[in-house]
Amino acid sequence: MQILATGTLTVKQRPRLQKLRRQAGFTLLEILAVIVIIGVTISFASLSLSSRAVDERLANEANRLQALLKLAADEAVVQGEEIGFLLASDGYAFYHLEENQWAAYAEGPLRERVLPDGLKLYLASDESEEFQIPLPEDDDKNSDSKKKKTLPQILLLSSGELTPFALELRADHLPVYYRAEGKITGQISLQRLEIKR
C-alpha cells in the first residue's frame, strides 16, 4: 500500500471513505421536512397563544369595567353627586354634573377609557323598569352657539340607585363574552358566558 506524497488515497481506502461521506449529512429532502414540521408547530403554538392573550385581555377589561362601575357608584354616594356612564363606539367615559352640564372626568380612575383593538362593548338597557331623573335644563335655549349635549346612558345616583343595565364586552372571533349587569338597587355583577351556536 503506497501513499503518494500529495496525500491521495489508495484504491483500497476510497470505498470506506465514500461510505462515511454518505452517512455524514442530511439530504435536502430531510432538511425541508424538518423545516415544514417546525413551521406547522410554531404556527399552531402562536395561534393558541394569541387566542389566550385575547381571552386574558377580555377578562382584564371586563374586570376593570366592573371595578370602575362599582367605584363610580360608591363615589356617587360618598360625594353626594350624580354620575353618568356614556358608552362610545371605541370606549366609555364617566360624567358628573358640573354647573347643570354633564362634564367628563379629565383624570383619575373615572377618566375616559379606550377599548383595546378587537374588543367591543354593547349596552342593553332594561326596558321593564322605567327609571329617570330630571336632567338639567339649558338656561340659554335661544343661544346661537348651541353645544352638543352629551347625555349618559346609565345614571349612578347619590341615593345608591342606578339605571338598570346590561353591558356586554365581546372580542372578535372568541366564543366567550362578559356581561356586567346593574340592578336598580345598586348591585353590579359580572358573568362570563359562552356564545351559543
Side-chain angles (χ1 to χ4, degrees), residues 9 19 33 36 43 66 73 76 89 99 113 120 125 165 174 178:
L9 300 173
K19 279 185 180 177
V36 168
S43 66
Q66 181 192 24
S89 61
E99 298 177 10
R113 304 282 175 159
K120 300 235 187 282
S125 294
F165 68 87
L174 210 61
Y178 287 85

Side-chain angles (χ1 to χ4, degrees), residues 23-40:
Q23 295 173 354
F26 296 105
T27 65
L28 182 61
L29 187 60
E30 292 170 333
I31 291 172
L32 288 176
V34 169
I35 289 173
V36 168
I37 291 170
I38 290 172
V40 169

Side-chain angles (χ1 to χ4, degrees), residues 117-156:
D117 292 336
L119 299 185
K120 300 235 187 282
L121 187 61
Y122 302 97
L123 172 68
S125 294
D126 189 357
E127 300 289 333
S128 64
E129 299 181 41
E130 278 191 38
F131 186 79
Q132 294 180 347
I133 64 166
L135 295 173
E137 294 184 21
D138 190 4
D139 295 335
D140 192 12
K141 291 181 182 177
N142 297 328
S143 173
D144 291 337
S145 61
K146 287 191 176 183
K147 295 179 182 175
K148 183 182 174 187
K149 286 192 175 185
T150 304
L151 299 176
Q153 297 121 332
I154 299 171
L155 298 174
L156 304 130

Side-chain angles (χ1 to χ4, degrees), residues 1-2 14 21 33 43 60 65 103 118 125 127 131 137 168:
M1 172 159 87
Q2 293 180 352
R14 280 191 184 148
R21 279 189 184 163
S43 66
N60 289 341
L65 177 64
S125 294
E127 300 289 333
F131 186 79
E137 294 184 21
E168 291 183 359

Side-chain angles (χ1 to χ4, degrees), residues 2-181:
Q2 293 180 352
I3 298 178
L4 298 176
T6 59
T8 55
L9 300 173
T10 63
V11 176
K12 294 180 184 177
Q13 292 174 327
R14 280 191 184 148
R16 194 169 42 149
L17 183 63
Q18 286 176 348
K19 279 185 180 177
L20 289 174
R21 279 189 184 163
R22 278 189 232 142
Q23 295 173 354
F26 296 105
T27 65
L28 182 61
L29 187 60
E30 292 170 333
I31 291 172
L32 288 176
V34 169
I35 289 173
V36 168
I37 291 170
I38 290 172
V40 169
T41 305
I42 288 174
S43 66
F44 279 129
S46 67
L47 286 174
S48 168
L49 290 175
S50 68
S51 68
R52 190 176 316 145
V54 172
D55 191 21
E56 287 176 13
R57 256 190 318 169
L58 181 67
N60 289 341
E61 282 299 319
N63 289 326
R64 177 181 293 127
L65 177 64
Q66 181 192 24
L68 289 174
L69 285 166
K70 286 182 176 182
L71 176 66
D74 292 343
E75 280 292 311
V77 173
V78 170
Q79 299 296 328
E81 66 179 359
E82 317 316 331
I83 295 179
F85 175 87
L86 179 70
L87 177 63
S89 61
D90 61 345
Y92 55 91
F94 290 91
Y95 287 76
H96 65 283
L97 281 175
E98 187 176 285
E99 298 177 10
N100 286 337
Q101 297 271 332
W102 286 107
Y105 286 93
E107 55 188 33
L110 298 180
R111 68 186 181 279
E112 184 177 351
R113 304 282 175 159
V114 177
L115 291 172
D117 292 336
L119 299 185
K120 300 235 187 282
L121 187 61
Y122 302 97
L123 172 68
S125 294
D126 189 357
E127 300 289 333
S128 64
E129 299 181 41
E130 278 191 38
F131 186 79
Q132 294 180 347
I133 64 166
L135 295 173
E137 294 184 21
D138 190 4
D139 295 335
D140 192 12
K141 291 181 182 177
N142 297 328
S143 173
D144 291 337
S145 61
K146 287 191 176 183
K147 295 179 182 175
K148 183 182 174 187
K149 286 192 175 185
T150 304
L151 299 176
Q153 297 121 332
I154 299 171
L155 298 174
L156 304 130
L157 303 177
S158 57
S159 63
E161 298 173 320
L162 55 84
T163 308
F165 68 87
L167 288 166
E168 291 183 359
L169 186 62
R170 296 177 181 252
D172 297 336
H173 311 295
L174 210 61
V176 296
Y177 67 97
Y178 287 85
R179 182 179 174 97
E181 290 185 1

